[in-house]
Amino acid sequence: MATVDYLSSTLEGVSVQDENFDSNAPFNKSKTLASSLSASQSRLKFPLQKIANNSTTSKPQHLTKITLPSQSAQSGSSLTALPRSSASESRPSDSSADPITQSIPTPPKAFHLGMFEIGKPLGKGKFGRVYLARTRSTGFVCALKVLHKSELQQGKVEKQVRREIEIQSNLAHPNVLRLYGHFHDSKRIFLILEFAGRGELYKHLRKAGKFAEPLAAQYIAQMASALKYLHKKHVIHRDIKPENILVGLHGEIKISDFGWSVHAPNNRRKTMCGTLDYLPPEMIRPGREENWYDEKVDLWSLGVLAYEFLVGEAPFEDTPVMTQRRIARGEMTIPTNLSAEARDLIKRLLVLDPEKRLALEEVERHPWILRHCVQSGK
Ligand code: AMP
């Protein structure tokens, strides 16, 4: 307890310093990090939490600087203290017997819990909690997701988590949440994630009701950029929705939750995944063996997302049976108070035939996007 108090007081007055802040970054109206936060907010409070550490204890150190993960930090020097590959707290021979981590290659350098100071809880998901954390060595701020192996096994989602780790740890894009690495002990898996300072997009949307067209267009442009990157890497997300999008400190969006993602092509539907509201027609068509789909499912979801951003509710929202029926028929009404350009983009994405949906390059060049996403200085 004395150690915890000591650490709390040590960290209480530490200022957040973002050496990677780019005041010209698109979608960022504020000039400095300090000006975007109130005086009291500009200090990152770091109330320490206790996560029982099975294997490691480290002595607290005085820290003077917190480096926030940002786009440039992703490839920059502040990450050098964090080995980029995955790691295991247990010996490699242990992990080969572990059904969840066995197929993930053991890297040369290991992470362990003692490398991190654990801060406030950021949220709770179905299978674990997420904490603010930072490395003791460099003060690199991240989010640490703690998953209990027994719960993953009970929920039969070991495969899903393994896939999430494999896919997400190979991705690096400003609008995709980074997974810097992972490690595990006998009971838990720890995911070292990029810290998304403004939390869930879903909460912002619910609070605002709907987004104004310029903001919605900027979000959709960022989504298109991220999806283009994913699809180039042959990754289909398959679960695009506001709940799976986080917001970074500068207001930029970060796609997260790769639990349903797969490597394209040729993935046959085996299970009904994702929220009904966002499922494309080719994924809900019943029973046919030749029920194949490809990365164009994400284009449909992008259309649903654009609609929900602008209207405040998803286009096919109804009873489950009616939602499926309406999706299969493409039955929706786009409110006429939206601009003609916004309506045009939605209509071109929510097309029943996947081949006829607007390609991501065309989304980026669409008049609605161009009108609202012209970067400053151009
Ligand atoms: P999850 O289990 O991934 O659904 O996460 C549970 C909650 O924790 C989310 O709804 C967010 O509010 C929060 N959270 C998860 N990951 C992060 C992150 N990388 N940065 C900030 N908050 C996060």
Side-chain angles (χ1 to χ4, degrees):
M1 192 58 202
T3 306
V4 172
D5 287 343
Y6 166 75
L7 274 173
S8 294
S9 60
T10 305
L11 295 169
E12 193 65 49
V14 177
S15 310
V16 178
Q17 188 182 330
D18 186 354
E19 63 189 23
N20 303 296
F21 179 70
D22 173 7
S23 61
N24 291 321
F27 324 120
N28 179 29
K29 297 271 188 278
S30 55
K31 286 287 169 234
T32 63
L33 179 64
S35 71
S36 70
L37 301 170
S38 70
S40 61
Q41 284 173 314
S42 68
R43 287 180 181 277
L44 187 66
K45 298 276 184 199
F46 220 85
L48 289 160
Q49 299 288 313
K50 245 186 175 171
I51 296 184
N53 186 348
N54 295 359
S55 58
T56 330
T57 48
S58 297
K59 285 208 166 128
Q61 295 170 3
H62 283 279
L63 295 171
T64 52
K65 190 179 94 179
I66 296 175
T67 308
L68 289 173
S70 72
Q71 295 173 19
S72 50
Q74 285 166 11
S75 54
S77 60
S78 52
L79 255 184
T80 50
L82 269 183
R84 290 194 48 184
S85 47
S86 54
S88 163
E89 272 198 313
S90 41
R91 298 197 323 270
S93 57
D94 296 340
S95 74
S96 65
D98 188 315
I100 298 169
T101 46
Q102 61 183 353
S103 71
I104 300 162
T106 307
K109 203 168 172 187
F111 293 116
H112 56 81
L113 194 52
M115 291 168 73
F116 299 90
E117 286 172 286
I118 309 300
K120 66 170 185 176
L122 294 171
K124 189 173 177 294
K126 199 166 171 215
F127 292 102
R129 286 174 189 275
V130 183
Y131 297 88
L132 186 60
R134 65 180 170 189
T135 58
R136 292 184 189 281
S137 56
T138 62
F140 186 84
V141 173
C142 55
L144 201 63
K145 189 167 179 172
V146 187
L147 301 163
H148 286 264
K149 291 180 182 180
S150 57
E151 288 174 19
L152 300 179
Q153 272 157 353
Q154 259 168 27
K156 296 193 175 29
V157 290
E158 304 107 298
K159 237 190 193 167
Q160 199 175 314
V161 171
R162 201 184 308 148
R163 190 165 50 190
E164 189 170 359
I165 294 172
E166 281 167 354
I167 290 180
Q168 205 175 346
S169 56
N170 283 305
L171 303 174
H173 182 280
N175 302 115
V176 176
L177 193 80
R178 283 292 301 268
L179 172 60
Y180 296 119
H182 70 279
F183 55 94
H184 64 108
D185 60 21
S186 58
K187 293 200 170 72
R188 300 162 298 184
I189 297 176
F190 300 87
L191 306 186
I192 309 164
L193 293 161
E194 177 180 2
F195 170 52
R198 293 196 194 169
E200 286 171 61
L201 184 66
Y202 179 79
K203 284 190 184 155
H204 292 279
L205 182 57
R206 284 294 156 264
K207 199 170 165 203
K210 56 190 174 182
F211 295 141
E213 293 207 10
L215 183 62
Q218 287 163 12
Y219 284 159
I220 294 299
Q222 293 173 60
M223 286 297 301
S225 168
L227 288 174
K228 220 166 84 175
Y229 170 80
L230 294 180
H231 293 175
K232 213 192 261 168
K233 297 201 80 154
H234 307 291
V235 172
I236 318 177
H237 189 281
R238 301 201 302 178
D239 201 13
I240 296 295
K241 55 184 174 182
E243 294 90 322
N244 290 339
I245 300 170
L246 294 168
V247 186
L249 259 185
H250 310 304
E252 77 283 19
I253 58 173
K254 311 242 171 220
I255 302 184
S256 72
D257 207 331
F258 284 78
W260 284 116
S261 61
V262 284
H263 275 110
N266 290 346
N267 294 289
R268 193 183 307 186
R269 178 175 71 118
K270 288 210 178 77
T271 44
M272 187 73 103
C273 61
T275 308
L276 217 48
D277 278 322
Y278 276 74
L279 282 179
E282 63 269 33
M283 280 175 80
I284 59 166
R285 238 166 258 141
R288 304 256 306 277
E289 266 305 286
E290 61 273 25
N291 203 358
W292 301 77
Y293 57 84
D294 59 16
E295 77 286 349
K296 294 184 188 69
V297 296
D298 288 337
L299 295 177
W300 176 276
S301 307
L302 188 63
V304 179
L305 197 68
Y307 186 108
E308 184 164 358
F309 283 170
L310 292 167
V311 179
E313 57 186 44
F316 306 103
E317 236 174 85
D318 213 317
T319 60
V321 172
M322 279 310 291
T323 294
Q324 288 205 46
R325 197 172 292 168
R326 288 179 53 196
I327 291 172
R329 294 174 184 161
E331 256 174 46
M332 51 138 188
T333 323
I334 307 176
T336 48
N337 63 337
L338 300 189
S339 71
E341 288 146 340
R343 295 203 330 258
D344 183 77
L345 180 70
I346 292 168
K347 268 191 255 166
R348 286 175 193 271
L349 285 168
L350 294 180
V351 175
L352 288 179
D353 181 353
E355 300 305 319
K356 295 197 174 131
R357 286 174 203 151
L358 206 61
L360 290 166
E361 290 78 10
E362 293 172 289
V363 172
E364 287 181 321
R365 289 197 300 262
H366 189 275
W368 185 62
I369 297 293
L370 292 180
R371 182 209 283 220
H372 294 294
C373 301
V374 177
Q375 297 196 2
S376 58
K378 281 191 181 167

